[in-house]
Amino acid sequence: MTNPNPIGIFDSGIGGLSIARRIRELMPNENLLYVADSIHAPYGEKSERYIQQRSDTITRFLIEQNAKAIVVACNTATVSAIKNLRADYDLPIIGVEPGIKPAARQSKSGVIGVLATSQTLKSESFNNLSRLFSESVRVEIQPCPGLVEQIEALDLEGAQTETLVARYVAPLIEKGADHIVLGCTHYAFLAPAIRRAAGAHVEVINTDMAVARETLRRLQIHNLLSNSPQAGATTFWSSAEPSLAHRQLSELWGEGLIVHPMR
Ligand code: DGL
């Protein structure tokens, strides 16, 4: 059995490319569809209802493009919408989760820090996850308003971005965190800046590869893997202004690709 249909991946913008690139590494022969909903970013400052509606519209669109599985490559959409998506659509739907578990296991100081959007940090699923590890570590949280916008603007190392990163990382270090968990897929693109702000003794934890592995596992279970010997294609849609969308994808994915507009 083989299934050449694509894997659909979406995020509020370009953050989910950090997951998509791992899926590409792990499954080079799979076809991928990526939707960047940049015009509606940041999801982290929107209501749960709004995020659910966007997630539903995009999932339906990806299924219309024959997606065989959906990867919600966004922490905020995962905590807000994945339950509804799983109830409404009959295909594997994989979400993302901040790496509190690996950070808690490795922490020596007994304090870990989580950078994420306000919406993620106040969600029930995040708080349940955090509570699971509350006996072994203290979980310090830090919402990061403005960071997603910097990444969407491709300002990964500019002074304004460095200042914001330092402002968000410093309180976690002061509280004794020796691990910083990236609880938003966009922040993977700021990992170097976050490492600089945190210092060499602090470990930065990202779950992008774990999500790719989970996607592979779910495709295997459902007999949905492609056995094509050819390299898979990646097709992009973005709701950003087309020239910005093109710059974003060229810089973070590679030159020469086509980005389809979407509303
Ligand atoms: N990449 C999204 C996440 O993982 C960013 C959310 C936003 O747009 O605020 O949470």
Side-chain angles (χ1 to χ4, degrees):
M1 279 275 277
T2 177
N3 189 320
N5 284 351
I7 302 168
I9 306 167
F10 77 91
D11 176 46
S12 63
I14 51 180
L17 291 171
S18 60
I19 306 278
R21 67 186 173 188
R22 301 295 179 218
I23 292 177
R24 172 50 75 231
E25 274 168 40
L26 202 60
M27 293 173 259
N29 61 340
E30 292 290 339
N31 292 315
L32 308 182
L33 310 176
Y34 186 91
V35 171
D37 195 19
S38 296
I39 197 91
H40 299 105
Y43 280 3
E45 308 300 318
K46 306 275 186 338
S47 73
E48 191 175 69
R49 186 78 206 107
Y50 185 90
I51 301 164
Q52 286 168 351
Q53 280 165 353
R54 290 308 305 159
S55 300
D56 183 72
T57 301
I58 296 167
T59 298
R60 209 163 342 113
F61 171 78
L62 288 167
I63 292 171
E64 279 162 19
Q65 311 300 314
N66 292 323
K68 60 185 172 186
I70 303 288
V71 179
V72 183
C74 175
N75 289 263
T76 313
T78 299
V79 298
S80 308
I82 204 163
K83 230 194 245 167
N84 293 7
L85 295 178
R86 285 181 175 148
D88 293 344
Y89 299 102
D90 187 21
L91 79 175
I93 299 182
I94 297 100
V96 296
E97 191 175 87
I100 293 186
K101 186 175 173 180
R105 264 204 206 127
Q106 295 164 26
S107 176
K108 300 253 179 332
S109 69
V111 184
I112 66 169
V114 183
L115 301 174
T117 67
S118 315
Q119 192 61 252
T120 295
L121 293 174
K122 70 179 185 214
S123 70
E124 195 184 322
S125 38
F126 174 80
N127 283 289
N128 287 342
L129 174 70
S130 179
R131 219 166 294 126
L132 284 181
F133 298 93
S134 61
E135 282 188 6
S136 54
V137 286
R138 204 169 79 228
V139 181
E140 295 288 348
I141 58 170
Q142 177 63 57
C144 306
L147 268 197
V148 164
E149 289 90 326
Q150 293 301 111
I151 298 155
E152 287 289 318
L154 289 176
D155 184 351
L156 306 183
E157 306 215 294
Q160 210 182 327
T161 300
E162 296 272 344
T163 306
L164 267 184
V165 167
R167 185 184 305 156
Y168 295 143
V169 168
L172 300 176
I173 304 303
E174 274 158 29
K175 287 171 189 154
D178 63 353
H179 284 70
I180 291 189
V181 176
L182 305 185
C184 167
T185 54
H186 276 78
Y187 304 165
F189 294 109
L190 293 182
I194 292 169
R195 276 195 201 98
R196 274 196 294 282
H201 64 293
V202 174
E203 200 68 45
V204 174
I205 304 285
N206 193 350
T207 53
D208 49 10
M209 203 38 155
V211 178
R213 279 198 216 99
E214 175 63 9
T215 305
L216 172 61
R217 194 183 72 84
R218 297 281 292 280
L219 291 175
Q220 272 163 343
I221 290 174
H222 292 275
N223 253 323
L224 287 173
L225 284 171
S226 162
N227 68 355
S228 163
Q230 276 160 14
T234 311
T235 310
F236 298 95
W237 284 267
S238 172
S239 60
E241 187 274 313
S243 71
L244 173 63
H246 198 261
R247 264 196 300 127
Q248 289 172 324
L249 271 304
S250 305
E251 188 159 326
L252 299 183
W253 193 269
E255 296 294 330
L257 47 81
I258 295 170
V259 189
H260 302 283
M262 117 157 222
R263 279 289 112 183

